[in-house]
């Protein structure tokens, strides 16, 4: 894979596919970690005299402009972090983008509007994606792939565009891939993996692969309830993927055969309703045993005994990969499980990698010093798919 040092950029228009998909509350950025992670490569290209065209997706708009997913607040924050104005184009390949790009001087930076405002970005149809990639390619002389969080997507700006331009990997992608390699080759043992979060179906797949790699799998967050159900327990109103129960049963059986330890919650914090994340009104959860969640309650965080259990299972690990919060950490009543795992990682001498948009944001939102962790990845799905051994379209496209 070429790096930006291999690209001739002075005086040329360089398209940087970044991942600036940050959490927003209204137009306020609640965690700017991904913007900060994108800055070094953009700054370096600008210093070298490139005309830098930055592009990203944000959220999941439906292929048309939708003001709640505008990147405008991101342009402002990117400008602050770079210490220079970032011209914002109000469309992706329309008149505004054309005018903004045409006006760029050497060393200047522009940000295009959300790529997913154009249906071509995520289209399944090759020709439709290709047409959007052609329009984007017309803006630039070279392509830099640096949006690690999107490399598992076969999208126009990630997969089709680099084929149309001289291309290289940005510094963020180079770092991320270097770290994940350490988790797949010669990993230091015991190797513990902590999985949580809400996207159960996305994450069950990685377990299949990790069963052959990890020594210990700790399961919290929404995914835990499918495991508890597979063991025959009542999970009440908790997140549950019933169709995955047979697969989960098979994982549990295989783990036992292979000597891989599954660590499931022994108690959970539960309440009749999902908490109000806007008002953060007190949720008054109760602690219930994980094998007997009352039918009218929803499990929303791991309980106090599970926090201790997980901390103990992480204390002697040599390598830890963590993806997905242990509970609905956005509400203060359900943040303790996630906090306990973050603290256990800090207390451990292990090589620790935190992967996942929300997990990484949680670490910072809960007030931890991110520099104290071995590595905080900007990619959730991307890092999981890398660990699964899949070919990632956005990385394959950067190979020569
Ligand atoms: P990541 O971005 O780190 O990969 P996900 O996107 O899968 O993580 O999941 C993050 C979300 O999971 C958070 O918004 C959190 O509120 C939610 N979550 C965690 N535990 C539960 C649970 N028990 N029930 C419902 N949602 C949960
Ligand atoms: Mg997420």
């Amino acid at each position: 894979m070429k790096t930006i040092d291999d690209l001739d950029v002075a005086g040329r228009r360089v398209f940087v596919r970044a991942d600036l998909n940050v959490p927003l509350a209204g137009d306020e950025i609640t965690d700017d970690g991904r913007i900060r992670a994108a800055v070094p490569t953009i700054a370096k290209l600008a210093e070298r005299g490139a005309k830098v065209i930055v592009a990203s997706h944000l959220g999941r708009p439906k292929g048309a402009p939708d003001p709640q997913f505008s990147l405008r607040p991101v342009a402002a924050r990117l400008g602050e972090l770079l210490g220079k104005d970032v011209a914002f184009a109000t469309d992706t390949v329309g008149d505004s983008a054309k005018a903004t790009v045409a006006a760029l001087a050497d060393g200047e930076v522009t940000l295009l509007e959300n790529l997913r405002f154009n249906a071509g970005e995520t289209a399944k149809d090759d020709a439709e994606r290709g047409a959007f990639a052609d329009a984007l390619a017309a803006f630039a002389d070279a392509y830099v792939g640096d949006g690690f969080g999107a490399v598992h997507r076969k999208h126009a700006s990630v997969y089709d565009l680099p084929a149309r331009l001289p291309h290289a990997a940005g510094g963020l992608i180079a770092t991320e891939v270097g770290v994940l390699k350490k988790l797949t080759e010669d990993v230091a043992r015991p190797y513990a993996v902590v999985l949580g979060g809400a996207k159960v179906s996305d994450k069950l797949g990685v377990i299949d692969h990790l069963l052959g790699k990890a020594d210990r799998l700790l399961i919290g967050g929404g995914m835990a309830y499918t495991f508890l159900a597979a063991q025959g327990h009542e999970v009440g109103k908790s997140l549950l993927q019933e169709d995955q129960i047979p697969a989960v049963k098979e994982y549990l059986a295989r783990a036992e055969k292979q000597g891989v330890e599954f660590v499931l919650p022994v108690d959970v914090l539960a309440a009749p309703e999902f908490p109000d994340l806007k008002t953060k009104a007190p949720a008054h959860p109760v602690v219930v045993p994980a094998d007997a969640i009352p039918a009218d309650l929803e499990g929303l965080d791991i309980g106090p005994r599970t926090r201790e259990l997980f901390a103990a299972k992480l204390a002697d690990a040599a390598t830890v990969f963590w993806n997905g919060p242990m509970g609905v950490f956005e509400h203060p009543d359900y943040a303790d499980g996630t906090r306990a795992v973050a603290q256990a990682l800090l207390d451990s001498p292990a090589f620790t990698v935190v992967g996942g948009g929300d997990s990484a944001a949680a670490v910072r939102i809960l007030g931890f010093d991110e520099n104290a962790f071995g590595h905080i990845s900007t990619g959730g799905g991307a890092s999981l798919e890398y660990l699964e051994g899949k070919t990632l379209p956005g990385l394959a496209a950067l190979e020569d």
Side-chain angles (χ1 to χ4, degrees):
M1 223 180 262
K2 290 205 178 74
T3 71
I4 55 171
D5 297 330
D6 303 314
L7 279 185
D8 181 14
V9 302
R12 302 177 79 206
R13 299 166 304 166
V14 179
F15 187 102
V16 180
R17 177 36 159 121
D19 173 14
L20 306 176
N21 181 26
V22 291
L24 288 175
D27 56 11
E28 197 203 319
I29 297 163
T30 54
D31 177 57
D32 67 358
R34 279 182 165 158
I35 309 177
R36 283 184 289 117
V39 160
T41 294
I42 296 168
K44 208 165 167 190
L45 290 167
E47 266 162 39
R48 285 170 54 196
K51 302 173 167 77
V52 188
I53 304 154
V54 184
S56 174
H57 70 287
L58 186 128
R60 295 186 177 209
K62 306 258 175 290
D66 181 345
Q68 61 169 320
F69 297 114
S70 174
L71 277 166
R72 188 184 283 280
V74 173
R77 183 74 189 122
L78 179 61
E80 282 166 24
L81 291 166
L82 285 168
K84 60 167 76 192
D85 278 343
V86 171
F88 181 63
T90 58
D91 55 27
T92 54
V93 291
D95 291 343
S96 174
K98 282 178 189 149
T100 315
V101 170
L104 275 180
D106 294 356
E108 288 185 348
V109 179
T110 181
L111 175 66
L112 305 183
E113 184 53 287
N114 193 339
L115 291 164
R116 292 188 187 169
F117 285 2
N118 189 305
E121 171 67 358
T122 59
K124 293 264 181 290
D125 179 59
D126 290 349
E128 194 185 347
R129 268 197 339 273
F132 185 48
D134 284 339
L136 291 170
F139 284 146
D141 306 305
Y143 175 93
V144 172
D146 211 27
F148 181 72
V151 290
H152 59 316
R153 305 291 186 201
K154 193 176 171 185
H155 290 170
S157 67
V158 176
Y159 178 74
D160 304 86
L161 183 54
R164 288 162 165 77
L165 294 167
H167 52 257
L172 178 63
I173 281 195
T175 304
E176 295 269 14
V177 170
V179 167
L180 290 173
K181 266 212 174 107
K182 277 212 217 176
L183 296 182
T184 50
E185 296 163 11
D186 295 328
V187 60
R189 296 187 180 279
Y191 174 21
V193 174
V194 192
L195 293 174
K199 289 182 248 161
V200 183
S201 43
D202 299 11
K203 295 187 183 182
L204 287 173
V206 76
I207 292 175
D208 192 17
H209 185 78
L210 285 170
L211 276 175
K213 306 265 180 214
D215 301 300
R216 226 170 261 167
L217 289 167
L218 284 60
I219 309 289
M223 180 165 31
Y225 303 97
T226 303
F227 279 82
L228 293 168
Q231 292 182 326
H233 305 308
E234 167 70 58
V235 297
K237 291 160 68 183
S238 311
L239 270 187
L240 171 63
Q241 245 188 325
E242 222 145 342
D243 57 330
Q244 296 292 328
I245 288 179
V248 166
K249 279 188 175 154
E250 194 268 322
Y251 297 153
L252 289 167
R254 188 148 35 109
E256 194 164 336
K257 222 188 279 158
Q258 298 183 349
V260 177
E261 192 180 2
F262 257 111
V263 188
L264 296 176
V266 290
D267 58 355
V268 304
L269 299 186
E273 302 295 342
F274 195 86
D276 189 328
L277 301 182
K278 279 216 178 76
T279 65
K280 313 243 155 116
H284 306 295
V286 292
V287 179
V288 297
D291 59 3
I293 300 173
D296 59 338
L297 297 187
E298 176 174 6
L300 294 156
D301 193 11
I302 57 173
R305 286 203 299 127
T306 307
R307 296 200 289 267
E308 280 178 30
L309 173 67
F310 281 17
K313 294 289 181 188
L314 294 172
D316 66 340
T319 305
V320 182
F321 174 74
W322 173 29
N323 173 284
M326 295 295 99
V328 184
F329 73 94
E330 297 91 337
H331 191 287
D333 289 346
Y334 299 113
D336 284 346
T338 302
R339 189 178 281 118
V341 167
Q343 189 62 49
L345 261 60
L346 284 185
D347 293 344
S348 138
F351 175 62
T352 55
V353 178
V354 183
D358 290 292
S359 327
V363 163
R364 292 183 286 258
I365 289 166
L366 297 177
F368 289 96
D369 173 12
E370 59 181 322
N371 298 314
F373 292 83
H375 177 72
I376 300 193
S377 174
T378 54
S383 52
L384 289 174
E385 290 195 19
Y386 187 97
L387 293 184
E388 281 179 60
K390 287 190 183 157
T391 299
L392 306 185
L395 294 183
L398 295 176
E399 305 286 350
D400 318 276

